[in-house]
Amino acid sequence: MGLRFFNIRVRMVLTLRTMRRLLCLIPWMGLLVSAVQGQSPPSEARIHYTHRGELTTPAFRIGEECYVALARINELNWSAVVAGSRVTVTAGPHKVTVAPKFHQGQTLIPLGAVLKELGGGTGWAQDDRTFEVWSEVIEIGVEDGSIRIKTSLDVRPSWLRLEGPAGLALDLSGARLTSRSKIGTSGSALVRQATPQTVRILFDKSSPAEPRKALPDLLREWEVPIVPAKGPEPARTPPETRSTGAKEPIQAPPPASLATAPEPSLGGSPAGVEWEPWDKQPPKWSGPLSPQAGPVRMTSDGPQSGSMLLKLSGPLPDAARFTRPEPSVLEIVLPRTRWSADALAGFRSASIKEAVIENRGKEAVLRLTLVRPMGLQLAHEPDGIHLTLIKPNVGDGKLAGKVVVVDAGHGGHDTGARSPDKKLNEKDLALAIANLTAKRLSEQGATVVLTRKGDQFIALKERSEIANRNGAHFFLSVHINSNQVANSSTGGITFYHQQDPVGMLLADCIQGEIAKVSGLPNLGTWSDRRIYETGFAVLRYAKMPAVLIEMGFINNSKDRARMSTADFKEKVAGAIVQGLRAYLGDGKQED
Ligand SMILES: [Zn+2]
């Protein structure tokens, strides 16, 4: 009984739903008819969308409008809600309600109508099939030591080094100048439409603009100070001209130095704005900006640290990095950069024995041979790379007399990692290597404190506290690695804490020596942040230079066989001692 009654109800609901659906379709069918009858039938189209270039999103041209499927507008980072015969599109903070069309079972959204509300410019390219979308330049001002850019949609900025008369250009990809664009330049810059989708700000070569802030990936409203032009003071637009709020483009005097350069047709267009058709003037640039590096100079040199500035003509396309091929050698690598010829002219430093510059492929390399091992920090600043040399306190530079805490990992109920057959425990192998290291260090005259001498459990924090309480100069923690899959990894790693430049130096010195004798692959030195965001507890709490050494993988049969040998344990213990001596500059015949 109950079942039958239920069936009837379901059938009634379905019928109502079907009817509602049919009613909903009526206005849509009307739209479809208007699309086909009133205008040319939909034809397939492409979209060239601002800085994003050509989209893969299918599009249709109906009359002068370009339509995209409702189901695909997420590709424009939009969302939409259909309500009756209207669609409300949400684009960032904006909501735009438009009338859709219906074609081949799809709901189509008029792209031009939405973009008009968002302030974007649209139009069909000459091929009649490409719908171009651009960001209108609302304002560009290069004056009073700053660049000011305002556009209606996001544009992608990039610096370019030009071969022509102008030295540096800032390209705004996806942007177009219109008659409403407000352009104001001090005379040291020129604004032009370089391609239909690129607005270029050309800076006078005699006054290279140097941004004080890294370029954002995308911008819509941006103001950034630039280093004032060198040489003669550029003519500045009087402040009252800028503050009129006039909708007309600001009339700036034509830039004299650019007017004499072979950049044609500067006259005839509003000063500071060039309306050169892009196809008649193929842009001439040498690819993405490759800044020039140099000069290199020492800005300060004290007993604990030294500062250097490596000047750059523009921002680096990629981050600078450094390597330490030897404890006393640092190589600073600037990607896609060239050295200026006299970058090292007049360079002198009491901390550096030798400085060499080299263009290696697309990289500019500065090789510094230091008077002794030092830590290094790099900072990217708008004027170039700031290098800080950290000179660790090594006392008399001798291992003898130093206090070294050697920490054998795990212990007691904490076995650490285990071999797959459970016969070999990390805690035992680590203790054996720690004890051998302690013996070697004592022989060299160092005072050694072992966190554990036997098989006992010690909390992580207590291990570093032992070092802190004893006023240790070094904390060395010995471990054996393991991972999820047996035999999938091999080799040794020495960890330092976070970004600690002195810990990194100590790790480089020790791992470099271990790699020479271990017979296992060298996986290098790693920040402990690669494992845990807060790093390893034993390194975090230690107040002195501290490293954690993972000798090899206990779940790799080759590593295990090698690490089990007396030869391995003896040699890595000796290598740890050698690494400490390298760090201290001990035993080196420097003079
Ligand atoms: Zn461990």
Side-chain angles (χ1 to χ4, degrees):
M1 281 277 286
L3 210 98
R4 206 180 141 167
F5 183 63
F6 181 68
N7 274 344
I8 292 163
R9 270 190 69 182
V10 168
R11 222 174 277 144
M12 279 179 69
V13 169
L14 280 178
T15 311
L16 276 173
R17 230 179 240 169
T18 314
M19 279 176 67
R20 237 183 257 138
R21 265 193 200 153
L22 285 168
L23 284 167
C24 282
L25 278 176
I26 289 169
W28 299 91
M29 290 163 108
L31 284 165
L32 177 63
V33 169
S34 80
V36 176
Q37 283 185 341
Q39 288 150 337
S40 50
S43 60
E44 281 183 18
R46 289 183 291 266
I47 303 168
H48 190 285
Y49 196 88
T50 64
H51 58 86
R52 292 171 61 182
E54 194 148 308
L55 302 181
T56 53
T57 315
F60 303 94
R61 179 172 183 161
I62 303 173
E64 283 307 301
E65 182 59 284
C66 177
Y67 288 83
V68 285
L70 179 72
R72 301 291 294 269
I73 66 160
N74 60 324
E75 289 165 26
L76 301 163
N77 298 325
W78 297 350
S79 61
V81 175
V82 183
S85 62
R86 310 296 284 177
V87 174
T88 300
V89 176
T90 303
H94 304 278
K95 280 191 196 301
V96 183
T97 301
V98 289
K101 283 195 190 298
F102 201 63
H103 173 63
Q104 291 175 350
Q106 297 186 88
T107 304
L108 301 179
I109 306 296
L111 196 55
V114 176
L115 281 158
K116 195 180 170 194
E117 293 294 316
L118 300 178
T122 60
W124 290 98
Q126 286 193 335
D127 65 2
D128 284 335
R129 313 198 96 224
T130 307
F131 192 67
E132 290 192 280
V133 180
W134 60 86
S135 174
E136 288 193 359
V137 170
I138 297 166
E139 187 182 2
I140 292 176
V142 186
E143 51 200 343
D144 298 336
S146 75
I147 310 173
R148 213 169 49 254
I149 297 166
K150 202 173 166 187
T151 55
S152 63
L153 302 175
D154 286 346
V155 297
R156 186 179 296 284
S158 59
W159 289 104
L160 293 174
R161 179 155 304 281
L162 298 162
E163 286 166 355
L168 190 67
L170 179 59
D171 270 7
L172 304 175
S173 172
R176 200 174 278 196
L177 294 166
T178 74
S179 57
R180 294 182 297 278
S181 302
K182 275 172 66 181
I183 308 298
T185 70
S186 62
S188 62
L190 179 69
V191 179
R192 61 180 282 193
Q193 189 76 47
T195 76
Q197 296 279 4
T198 307
V199 169
R200 177 165 296 167
I201 308 169
L202 287 156
F203 296 93
D204 187 337
K205 198 175 197 171
S206 65
S207 57
E210 291 176 17
R212 283 208 184 274
K213 219 159 71 179
L215 277 184
D217 189 38
L218 294 175
L219 61 86
R220 192 177 295 197
E221 203 166 344
W222 193 65
E223 179 158 6
V224 67
I226 50 175
V227 173
K230 293 179 191 82
E233 191 75 1
R236 291 184 184 226
T237 311
E240 56 270 22
T241 313
R242 286 195 295 116
S243 55
T244 52
K247 288 193 176 82
E248 308 256 308
I250 291 163
Q251 302 290 305
S257 54
L258 284 172
T260 54
E263 284 266 344
S265 71
L266 274 170
S269 60
V273 185
E274 193 184 350
W275 302 94
E276 183 78 32
W278 72 281
D279 46 352
K280 283 187 190 158
Q281 271 290 303
K284 218 175 126 189
W285 62 76
S286 53
L289 172 69
S290 46
Q292 211 168 58
V296 181
R297 61 186 171 84
M298 214 68 196
T299 52
S300 73
D301 208 352
Q304 272 118 49
S305 67
S307 301
M308 289 167 76
L309 172 61
L310 207 164
K311 276 279 252 181
L312 289 170
S313 65
L316 283 179
D318 293 306
R321 60 182 195 278
F322 71 92
T323 59
R324 186 180 280 115
E326 289 169 47
S328 296
V329 176
L330 289 167
E331 287 193 351
I332 295 96
V333 181
L334 310 175
R336 289 197 279 156
T337 306
R338 311 299 294 167
W339 286 109
S340 59
D342 53 352
L344 282 175
F347 176 79
R348 284 184 63 222
S349 165
S351 304
I352 295 161
K353 283 203 286 194
E354 190 188 32
V356 177
I357 53 170
E358 207 183 309
N359 288 316
R360 283 186 205 159
K362 286 181 178 169
E363 295 174 336
V365 179
L366 172 64
R367 186 181 167 96
L368 301 175
T369 305
L370 309 168
V371 294
R372 65 174 168 100
M374 297 179 194
L376 178 65
Q377 280 177 318
L378 298 182
H380 292 75
E381 300 286 345
D383 55 346
I385 304 293
H386 288 241
L387 296 93
T388 307
L389 293 167
I390 295 121
K391 307 174 183 181
N393 180 12
V394 294
D396 61 1
K398 301 283 176 213
L399 181 55
K402 296 291 187 293
V403 179
V404 185
V405 168
V406 183
D407 171 50
H410 312 275
H413 65 82
D414 173 15
T415 59
R418 306 181 80 181
S419 59
D421 63 6
K422 312 268 191 264
K423 283 183 181 161
L424 187 63
N425 292 327
E426 176 183 358
K427 63 174 184 177
D428 300 322
L429 195 44
L431 183 64
I433 294 167
N435 283 335
L436 279 171
T437 306
K439 185 166 163 272
R440 294 290 192 98
L441 286 167
S442 301
E443 287 164 6
Q444 302 278 330
T447 302
V448 184
V449 180
L450 284 156
T451 55
R452 67 179 176 100
K453 292 191 177 83
D455 185 18
Q456 72 212 77
F457 175 79
I458 299 162
L460 290 176
K461 198 173 177 183
E462 175 59 13
R463 295 168 189 262
S464 342
E465 286 303 334
I466 290 169
N468 294 341
R469 279 200 300 272
N470 284 284
H473 294 95
F474 300 103
F475 177 85
L476 313 174
S477 191
V478 178
H479 286 251
I480 314 298
N481 220 336
S482 185
N483 64 356
Q484 300 289 325
V485 182
N487 300 316
S488 63
S489 288
T490 171
I493 305 166
T494 298
F495 286 92
Y496 54 92
H497 186 52
Q498 303 271 8
Q499 304 300 323
D500 176 25
V502 171
M504 183 201 266
L505 169 63
L506 180 60
D508 283 350
C509 291
I510 290 176
Q511 182 61 30
E513 293 297 327
I514 288 175
K516 289 179 192 170
V517 297
S518 70
L520 295 178
N522 178 12
L523 300 181
T525 57
W526 293 21
S527 166
D528 57 4
R529 285 191 72 169
R530 282 175 71 168
I531 311 298
Y532 302 113
E533 182 56 31
T534 53
F536 295 141
V538 288
L539 301 183
R540 185 164 66 245
Y541 294 120
K543 294 196 169 99
M544 66 293 305
V547 296
L548 186 149
I549 309 157
E550 296 278 7
M551 294 292 172
F553 284 80
I554 204 165
N555 65 336
N556 179 300
S557 54
K558 275 171 77 181
D559 283 27
R560 191 167 61 247
R562 173 70 185 138
M563 289 190 294
S564 300
T565 63
D567 181 68
F568 178 86
K569 294 171 204 168
E570 288 285 351
K571 280 190 173 154
V572 294
I576 292 169
V577 176
Q578 275 310 112
L580 278 182
R581 291 183 61 174
Y583 170 94
L584 292 163
D586 189 4
K588 283 219 167 178
Q589 302 303 308
E590 299 286 350
D591 318 347

